Amino acid sequence: MEEVFLNYRTKDGKEVAYIFDEKLSARFGSENVFRATKSIDAGADYGETMLGRVRRSSVLLALIGDAWLDAPDRKRPGRRALNDPQDWVRREIEEAFAHGVLVVPVLLGRGMEQLEPRRLPKSLAALAECQYERFSLRSPDTDIKRLGDRLVRQVPTLAALDRKPPTRKDADATDQPTGGVHNTGQSGGINTLNGTLGTFIQDSHGPLHTGSGPQHAPQFQGENTNYIARDNHGGVHFGPAQRRDKDEDER
């Protein structure tokens, strides 16, 4: 059964419905998102399939654009489509309310105003009281992710289907070592670690004295660089190593 049912008017919601279908299908699985032109099999009874899928859904998303409320009735242009008891948008929402399906109005566009109960048929008046979400084509990924996150917290069956990858923050927390510095398979050179660890020297060859008194001038050699520790009075010096090129070796 489809967990999420997309309810929309073709005139102002068709393109948005495709976006919702794509994003939610990627997260919960295509078979768990109902969109009429995708989900109804050829030759199936359209009306029975539509209402049956509403009843078996966990969530109905009513995608409401500027033309949703006052869209004209195709059979009677002087009347609103919502005033027709046979209007499919109306019937789907009524069916959802009648069977305890979670109904979420999604207002399309930042300027879309919240519905007013007095402008809706009595059977849909509750829609204006439902907590709504907003969606904008300027931020489709962010808006649909926010909605998906909220639905996962509310609907256990959706939580079980959630394919959302862990966030970078979660991954970073998992990857952090529990303590100390781990250096496996790396040798040589002078390196700097990010954070407060400062500078460290790896794989020293020869004695290294760090106490008081004269130093014995150990030397560390890496690619193109020598590190020479002088005595206490001379400090530390870095200088280029003598590099033999391939041509020189062949002479």
Side-chain angles (χ1 to χ4, degrees):
M1 82 178 193
E2 286 81 1
E3 293 296 330
V4 180
F5 188 101
L6 298 177
N7 168 274
Y8 61 94
R9 289 204 180 281
T10 303
K11 185 175 182 180
D12 66 350
K14 180 179 179 180
E15 298 304 323
V16 173
Y18 275 92
I19 296 173
F20 269 76
D21 186 15
E22 176 187 3
K23 303 296 183 183
L24 294 177
S25 292
R27 182 164 181 175
F28 302 114
S30 180
E31 68 279 9
N32 296 307
V33 180
F34 181 92
R35 180 173 56 81
T37 55
K38 177 195 79 173
S39 304
I40 298 180
D41 295 332
D45 184 298
Y46 182 87
E48 181 54 38
T49 301
M50 290 283 281
L51 298 181
R53 297 297 178 84
V54 171
R55 290 191 291 269
R56 294 196 297 272
S57 295
S58 297
V59 181
L60 180 143
L61 299 180
L63 308 182
I64 301 172
D66 292 334
W68 184 90
L69 186 63
D70 295 318
D73 188 336
R74 294 181 179 180
K75 299 177 181 178
R76 298 174 56 181
R79 180 177 70 170
R80 293 190 314 169
L82 275 181
N83 291 340
D84 179 6
Q86 298 305 311
D87 175 50
W88 275 109
V89 169
R90 172 175 170 171
R91 292 180 68 183
E92 291 164 10
I93 298 173
E94 289 173 341
E95 194 75 10
F97 281 139
H99 290 83
V101 176
L102 176 65
V103 177
V104 181
V106 181
L107 306 184
L108 308 182
R110 299 306 179 198
M112 181 65 192
E113 295 183 357
Q114 186 177 359
L115 297 174
E116 298 180 18
R118 62 182 180 83
R119 299 206 60 198
L120 296 171
K122 290 183 179 180
S123 61
L124 297 185
L127 185 64
E129 305 300 332
C130 294
Q131 177 60 44
Y132 63 86
E133 286 284 331
R134 285 194 180 276
F135 171 83
S136 173
L137 289 174
R138 295 181 179 180
S139 53
D141 292 337
T142 300
D143 293 346
I144 294 179
K145 178 184 180 302
R146 181 186 66 250
L147 173 59
D149 290 346
R150 297 188 72 173
L151 293 178
V152 163
R153 292 194 295 269
Q154 291 178 253
V155 184
T157 51
L158 278 180
L161 297 168
D162 195 4
R163 302 175 180 177
K164 185 185 70 171
T167 63
R168 182 65 253 175
K169 181 178 179 181
D170 295 337
D172 289 344
T174 302
D175 295 340
Q176 288 298 323
T178 57
V181 177
H182 299 276
N183 179 36
T184 304
Q186 180 178 344
S187 63
I190 299 175
N191 298 280
T192 300
L193 293 180
N194 293 330
T196 59
L197 296 175
T199 302
F200 70 96
I201 303 170
Q202 300 182 102
D203 197 17
S204 62
H205 301 282
L208 177 61
H209 177 59
T210 61
S212 60
Q215 307 294 322
H216 297 288
Q219 178 172 320
F220 305 91
Q221 294 185 350
E223 182 65 20
N224 297 328
T225 303
N226 281 352
Y227 168 95
I228 302 175
R230 302 299 184 187
D231 60 22
N232 288 343
H233 303 289
V236 178
H237 301 273
F238 293 84
Q242 295 296 323
R243 177 175 178 176
R244 298 170 59 189
D245 295 328
K246 181 179 179 182
D247 292 342
E248 293 178 341
D249 292 337
E250 293 176 349
R251 284 179 184 172

PDB file of all heavy atoms in Angstrom, residues 65 84 95 172 240 250:
ATOM      1  N   GLY A  65      -2.304  25.280  -4.474  1.00  0.00           N
ATOM      2  CA  GLY A  65      -1.736  26.446  -5.136  1.00  0.00           C
ATOM      3  C   GLY A  65      -2.748  27.570  -5.263  1.00  0.00           C
ATOM      4  O   GLY A  65      -3.863  27.505  -4.726  1.00  0.00           O
ATOM      5  N   ASP A  84     -18.624  21.013  -6.275  1.00  0.00           N
ATOM      6  CA  ASP A  84     -19.181  19.807  -6.887  1.00  0.00           C
ATOM      7  C   ASP A  84     -18.832  18.605  -6.013  1.00  0.00           C
ATOM      8  O   ASP A  84     -17.659  18.291  -5.809  1.00  0.00           O
ATOM      9  CB  ASP A  84     -18.577  19.622  -8.280  1.00  0.00           C
ATOM     10  CG  ASP A  84     -19.095  18.380  -8.982  1.00  0.00           C
ATOM     11  OD1 ASP A  84     -20.016  17.716  -8.436  1.00  0.00           O
ATOM     12  OD2 ASP A  84     -18.564  18.061 -10.069  1.00  0.00           O
ATOM     13  N   GLU A  95     -12.505  11.444   1.844  1.00  0.00           N
ATOM     14  CA  GLU A  95     -12.246  10.028   2.136  1.00  0.00           C
ATOM     15  C   GLU A  95     -11.146   9.878   3.190  1.00  0.00           C
ATOM     16  O   GLU A  95     -11.223   9.028   4.078  1.00  0.00           O
ATOM     17  CB  GLU A  95     -11.851   9.303   0.845  1.00  0.00           C
ATOM     18  CG  GLU A  95     -11.889   7.795   0.929  1.00  0.00           C
ATOM     19  CD  GLU A  95     -13.309   7.240   0.906  1.00  0.00           C
ATOM     20  OE1 GLU A  95     -14.257   8.008   0.634  1.00  0.00           O
ATOM     21  OE2 GLU A  95     -13.478   6.015   1.150  1.00  0.00           O
ATOM     22  N   ASP A 172      30.396  12.506  11.032  1.00  0.00           N
ATOM     23  CA  ASP A 172      31.576  13.033  11.710  1.00  0.00           C
ATOM     24  C   ASP A 172      31.647  12.522  13.135  1.00  0.00           C
ATOM     25  O   ASP A 172      32.701  12.155  13.632  1.00  0.00           O
ATOM     26  CB  ASP A 172      31.561  14.568  11.713  1.00  0.00           C
ATOM     27  CG  ASP A 172      31.830  15.144  10.328  1.00  0.00           C
ATOM     28  OD1 ASP A 172      32.323  14.380   9.478  1.00  0.00           O
ATOM     29  OD2 ASP A 172      31.545  16.329  10.111  1.00  0.00           O
ATOM     30  N   PRO A 240      67.164  22.827   2.090  1.00  0.00           N
ATOM     31  CA  PRO A 240      66.873  21.873   1.014  1.00  0.00           C
ATOM     32  C   PRO A 240      67.839  20.717   1.002  1.00  0.00           C
ATOM     33  O   PRO A 240      69.029  20.876   1.278  1.00  0.00           O
ATOM     34  CB  PRO A 240      66.986  22.728  -0.249  1.00  0.00           C
ATOM     35  CG  PRO A 240      67.965  23.785   0.112  1.00  0.00           C
ATOM     36  CD  PRO A 240      67.713  24.083   1.580  1.00  0.00           C
ATOM     37  N   GLU A 250      72.104   8.771 -14.478  1.00  0.00           N
ATOM     38  CA  GLU A 250      72.456   8.032 -15.697  1.00  0.00           C
ATOM     39  C   GLU A 250      73.774   8.500 -16.315  1.00  0.00           C
ATOM     40  O   GLU A 250      74.249   7.917 -17.249  1.00  0.00           O
ATOM     41  CB  GLU A 250      71.327   8.179 -16.710  1.00  0.00           C
ATOM     42  CG  GLU A 250      70.062   7.484 -16.272  1.00  0.00           C
ATOM     43  CD  GLU A 250      68.934   7.723 -17.228  1.00  0.00           C
ATOM     44  OE1 GLU A 250      69.070   8.588 -18.100  1.00  0.00           O
ATOM     45  OE2 GLU A 250      67.906   7.047 -17.103  1.00  0.00           O
TER      46      GLU A 250
END
